[in-house]
Amino acid sequence: GAVVSQHPSRVICKSGTSVKIECRSLDFQATTMFWYRQFPKKSLMLMATSNEGSKATYEQGVEKDKFLINHASLTLSTLTVTSAHPEDSSFYICSARGLTTYEQYFGPGTRLTVT
Amino acid sequence: RKEVEQDPGPFNVPEGATVAFNCTYSNSASQSFFWYRQDCRKEPKLLMSVYSSGNEDGRFTAQLNRASQYISLLIRDSKLSDSATYLCVVNKPLGTMDTGRRALTFGSGTRLQVQP
C-alpha cells in the first residue's frame, strides 16, 4: 500500500514553545491530507482537512491560529502547534489520500508531550 | 448521539474463538465503510472495506446493513496477533461539506485481547 511518513515520531517541548510536525506522502500525490488527534483510549478526532494549495478547513472547536496547517505541495503537509500547553499533549496522526479513492493512508503518528 | 458507536470492550477470547464486533452509524447518507485495526500506540491500518453485499477476506468477514445502519466484523479462528483495537470507520457523506474533503469518522474502537 501507499506510504505516508511523519516526523518527528516523538517530541517533548516546554510550555509556550511551538512544534512543527511534517507529514509526507512518499509514493503518491496526496491531494488531500487530514490531521487527527487521539487522546489515550479515545478515538481519533479529525482536526482539519487540507487540500493542496488552499487553506485548511478546521473542525468545530479547533483553533486555526493555534494549529497552523500548511499544505504547500502534493506530498507535504505540516502542522504547527503554536504556544503549546500541557493539554495539547496528544498523539497527532496525519493521513493522506489521492484524488480518486476514499481510502486514507495514515502516517505513523507523532507523540507530543508538553511539559 | 455519536456519529459512529462501538462497544469499547475489551473482548477477551481464547485462541481459535470466533468473535464479532458491531457498530452503528447515525448518518443514513454515509457512503463508505471500513474496519481499521490499531495496535497500541500505533497508527490505524486499513483492515478491510465493507460492502453492502458483505465481503470476506480470509478469517475476516464484514457485513453492512444500510437499513439498520449497522456494520459488523466477524473474526474466525482468532490468533494472538489479532489482539488490537478495531475501529469502525464511516466516511462523511457528500453534500454536507466541500466535496474535496471526504473525511472519515472513527468510532472509539473495540479492544480485542486474544489469549493463549
Side-chain angles (χ1 to χ4, degrees):
Chain A
V3 178
V4 176
S5 70
Q6 232 178 291
H7 177 80
S9 58
R10 182 182 294 268
V11 57
I12 301 172
C13 71
K14 291 186 177 180
S15 189
T17 61
S18 295
V19 175
K20 180 186 280 189
I21 303 170
E22 291 186 351
C23 177
R24 293 181 185 274
S25 59
L26 299 184
D27 54 358
F28 70 104
Q29 292 185 324
T31 50
T32 306
M33 286 186 168
F34 303 88
W35 287 95
Y36 296 85
R37 180 167 56 183
Q38 186 176 33
F39 292 107
K41 299 187 179 181
K42 300 291 185 183
S43 62
L44 277 77
M45 297 298 296
L46 179 67
M47 299 175 66
T49 305
S50 71
N51 292 305
E52 183 264 340
S54 62
K55 288 184 179 180
T57 304
Y58 289 80
E59 294 300 299
Q60 193 171 15
V62 178
E63 299 175 58
K64 62 180 181 181
D65 293 331
K66 180 168 181 63
F67 298 100
L68 302 178
I69 291 173
N70 185 283
H71 191 164
S73 77
L74 284 172
T75 59
L76 173 65
S77 176
T78 60
L79 167 68
T80 301
V81 183
T82 62
S83 186
H85 290 283
E87 56 265 32
D88 297 326
S89 299
S90 186
F91 192 43
Y92 292 86
I93 306 176
C94 72
S95 70
R97 62 176 286 272
L99 186 60
T100 59
T101 176
Y102 284 122
E103 185 171 343
Q104 294 183 19
Y105 300 96
F106 285 84
T110 297
R111 192 160 300 281
L112 170 65
T113 303
V114 184
T115 59
Chain B
R1 182 186 173 186
K2 289 182 181 177
E3 291 184 64
V4 180
E5 293 210 56
Q6 291 181 255
D7 181 342
F11 283 45
N12 295 303
V13 303
E15 269 189 289
T18 297
V19 60
F21 303 138
N22 304 319
C23 167
T24 57
Y25 59 96
S26 61
N27 194 319
S28 59
S30 296
Q31 297 180 324
S32 298
F33 311 90
F34 310 90
W35 283 101
Y36 278 71
R37 84 169 263 169
Q38 186 175 24
D39 293 289
C40 189
R41 302 172 79 85
K42 299 286 187 182
E43 78 277 19
K45 292 187 187 293
L46 179 65
L47 181 64
M48 59 196 303
S49 301
V50 187
Y51 303 114
S52 298
S53 54
N55 49 298
E56 187 174 306
D57 183 1
R59 297 182 294 109
F60 299 85
T61 301
Q63 301 236 318
L64 167 65
N65 184 322
R66 285 187 185 269
S68 304
Q69 296 176 208
Y70 171 93
I71 307 162
S72 66
L73 176 68
L74 184 77
I75 304 175
R76 291 181 299 279
D77 187 24
S78 52
K79 314 288 185 192
L80 294 176
S81 57
D82 294 334
S83 298
T85 297
Y86 290 82
L87 304 170
C88 178
V89 182
V90 174
N91 85 303
K92 290 195 177 187
L94 300 177
T96 59
M97 62 183 67
D98 295 340
T99 56
R101 296 182 59 193
R102 306 188 187 182
L104 300 176
T105 301
F106 287 79
S108 54
T110 300
R111 193 156 66 87
L112 171 66
Q113 184 66 49
V114 181
Q115 295 164 337

